[in-house]
Amino acid sequence: MPLMLIVSINMLSAQNPLITDQFTADPTARVFEGKVYVYPSHDVNCDTGWFCMKDYHVFSSEDLVNWTDHGVIVDQEEVAWVNSDANAMWAPDAHFKNGTYYFYFPAIADTNSGIRGFAIGAATSKTPYGPFTPEEMPIKGVSGIDPNVFTDHDGQTYLYWSGRGIHGAKLGDDMLHITTEPKRLDTDHPQEGLREGPFMFERDGIYYLTYPRVVEKTEALVYSTGDNPLGPFEYKGIFMDEHPSGCWTNHHSIVNYKGQWYLFYHHNDLSPDFDKNRSIMADKLFFNEDGSIQKVVSTHRGVGISKASDKIQIDRYSDISESGTSIAFNDTSDTFAGWKTQFSNNNAWVSYNDVQFDSAPKSIRIKVLSKSGATFKIETMDGKSSEIKIPSTSAWKEVSVPVSGLSAGLKDLKLSLIAGNNVEIDWVQFK
Ligand code: FUB
């Protein structure tokens, strides 16, 4: 049955994680129509202690800071072959070819369909944000999860997936059936630890087959390279370490947007006690001259330029003092309410890079809790600074105080407590 969904539009502004009003995982980022579209899976908590994933949203952004939620693009209830009690709409991908957007997703098949276990389905649309119309049946001859689609320079498209290893095959012109036998691509790679979530891309003639792999305890992101899309691929090692928090999965995509490479991946920032409720993140990715991938370290700051006139969440810092500063949820019973920065003593600081000031600021608005008042120094890394005096507040309050001596331009900020103690800040905004 074709999907007839009403697309809802919702604007979100964030650093890492990118989406903070719902759980998101397994992000595949694609550049369509000059914007980045991210197709993640959608975790919800069904109190089963396991993944619970019923539908997919898509998000888009031009600046990688402000994200538009285009709403649900595919729901398990609307796909004829899917067992809609399974809540297993796992990691998806999207691809554009010959005027059509194809959305690929894994799900557990309904036993009435004659298929057992996970299969990979497709849905089509004339726009990157749907609505997508699911195919009646999944792709024949493919059983597994985590579809990934890549088109080479000669126009040939390939489908990759995981399930007892990493597999690949050519896709036919209709993008809906494979035309070659599935080929195992990782047989001579380290076999210890689960391997899933393949993501293929090409740069300067090198084909990168990347995937999450359990190296020690949880999933790290690893890569291999070859000189054609079906390998053989030589294993090269880790480019993102296992998450120190113990979040068991990671799942990623790599995209070049406006000349910069980005890694999209996930972590359980908004659900530290339950790692099946994840959140998508992005950080810049760099290559060495020989084509090897530099390790990416997960940051709170993420990517994109923040406008000084927007609320800047300094808890998504670039750097933080070794002592005296800590980050906590605003409301531990509602993590979607975000974080705050706690400054406990003098010289505690956070820095926050890449803030665009369109003009020299005259004041700063701060959401703050400071029972005895405090003085902060704001520095920009071009040597300019301003002291700001925070009045005492008995509860959370938005206060505006003058600043002077700062100038217009793209700045890295540092905010240090220089008098007072036990101050909490939710966000700052310049006028
Ligand atoms: O999100 C469910 C599964 O967890 C994905 O399909 C895997 O790649 C892992 O992230």
Side-chain angles (χ1 to χ4, degrees), residues 247-268:
C247 177
W248 201 88
T249 61
N250 199 350
H251 186 111
H252 70 295
S253 56
I254 292 169
V255 69
N256 188 309
Y257 182 55
K258 297 185 177 170
Q260 172 67 54
W261 289 91
Y262 295 95
L263 173 70
F264 286 75
Y265 60 99
H266 72 221
H267 183 246
N268 61 329

